[in-house]
Amino acid sequence: MLSSGRSKSLAMPRLQRPAPLRERIYEALLELIITRALEPGQHLIENELAAHLGTSRQPVREALQRLSTEGWVDLRPALGAFVHTPTGEEADQLLAVRTMLETESARLAATNAAPANIERLRELCRQGEQASAAEDVDGVVAANAALHAAVTEFSGNKVLAELTAQVDRRVRWYYTPVARQRGQASWTEHAALIDALAAHDGERAAQIMRAHTEQTRRSYHQRLAAENEG
């Protein structure tokens, strides 16, 4: 065992270990849920998942337990695991928090964003517009997430960025089904936001971001209402 004095003088390397199998399975299943490849309410059968992922049932079971703890999966006695079906109340709570965090991110980014940051945002906006025109939902969702994450990063507030990152995956889950519905309007709103950031107009940027995120919340509820009527 190294003495405290000796250990302070060493530049200890970080050991790079591969992620445990259960962690990789967890990430794979979570991504399938977020992208809605596994749909809300879908029955998750361990044998089928294990065969699809090329593994045994045990790490799949462990991953499902973790996903259940985090609210992505519902474990029902005698029935098994099912992808969680989000409620309107859950959507409201999450998207309300998102609005608060990202509105403040936009306000701060207007002060801190450098010209290179603005160009990065414009490039992401172009990518999103192209994906929207091609009706590439996965591309739209990815570009949208990247643009919002960049705005938060450019705010310069690391704590704010960490908190926003915690809700990002669930935001993607809610945004995916309305991405096509939001269409080009979403990218017009993004372009206006970027213009406000480039002009260092914090109040305008915050106003646009608030309206933009609220529109996503309304779109989600409109889709939910239409599905319930159907």
Side-chain angles (χ1 to χ4, degrees):
M1 182 174 180
L2 294 173
S3 68
S4 59
R6 176 59 176 163
S7 62
K8 289 179 181 178
S9 67
L10 294 176
M12 298 295 288
R14 287 189 175 274
L15 299 179
Q16 299 297 322
R17 294 191 177 96
L21 181 59
R22 63 177 178 275
E23 179 70 22
R24 284 180 281 149
I25 292 173
Y26 161 83
E27 290 291 343
L29 292 177
L30 180 54
E31 188 64 19
L32 290 171
I33 292 171
I34 290 171
T35 60
R36 307 240 170 181
L38 293 173
E39 299 177 351
Q42 184 170 340
H43 191 190
L44 302 174
I45 302 172
E46 288 181 8
N47 283 338
E48 292 181 0
L49 292 174
H52 178 76
L53 295 169
T55 185
S56 65
R57 291 177 59 183
Q58 183 58 34
V60 170
R61 185 177 297 116
E62 293 173 355
L64 290 175
Q65 289 284 352
R66 179 176 172 186
L67 289 166
S68 173
T69 299
E70 296 177 359
W72 296 101
V73 166
D74 297 327
L75 297 179
R76 303 174 188 170
L79 294 176
F82 296 80
V83 177
H84 179 66
T85 300
T87 67
E89 182 180 5
E90 289 171 351
D92 265 342
Q93 291 178 359
L94 178 78
L95 296 176
V97 170
R98 179 212 187 190
T99 293
M100 290 187 289
L101 293 173
E102 297 206 19
T103 295
E104 185 60 21
S105 293
R107 191 192 313 277
L108 293 174
T111 299
N112 298 319
N117 301 146
I118 298 300
E119 182 50 40
R120 171 61 178 156
L121 292 173
R122 294 198 191 283
E123 174 57 28
L124 289 170
C125 193
R126 285 191 288 269
Q127 292 176 15
E129 290 171 341
Q130 291 169 0
S132 179
E135 297 191 353
D136 175 8
V137 173
D138 290 342
V140 167
V141 173
N144 181 76
L147 190 149
H148 281 265
V151 171
T152 303
E153 176 188 346
F154 301 154
S155 74
N157 187 314
K158 293 182 179 179
V159 174
L160 185 59
E162 289 173 1
L163 291 173
T164 304
Q166 289 178 23
V167 302
D168 174 66
R169 279 176 158 173
R170 288 193 183 273
V171 169
R172 284 175 57 203
W173 193 31
Y174 289 111
Y175 185 72
T176 296
V178 301
R180 184 175 282 111
Q181 177 183 343
R182 290 284 278 125
Q184 183 56 42
S186 177
W187 299 100
T188 300
E189 294 160 14
H190 284 137
L193 170 66
I194 296 167
D195 287 342
L197 296 175
H200 303 294
D201 188 339
E203 290 306 312
R204 176 63 177 157
Q207 179 185 41
I208 293 171
M209 181 65 90
R210 184 181 298 108
H212 172 71
T213 53
E214 279 297 298
Q215 184 56 48
T216 296
R217 183 183 67 83
R218 285 192 293 271
S219 295
Y220 182 84
H221 280 293
Q222 288 168 3
R223 182 180 178 87
L224 193 63
E227 289 176 350
N228 290 337
E229 289 177 2

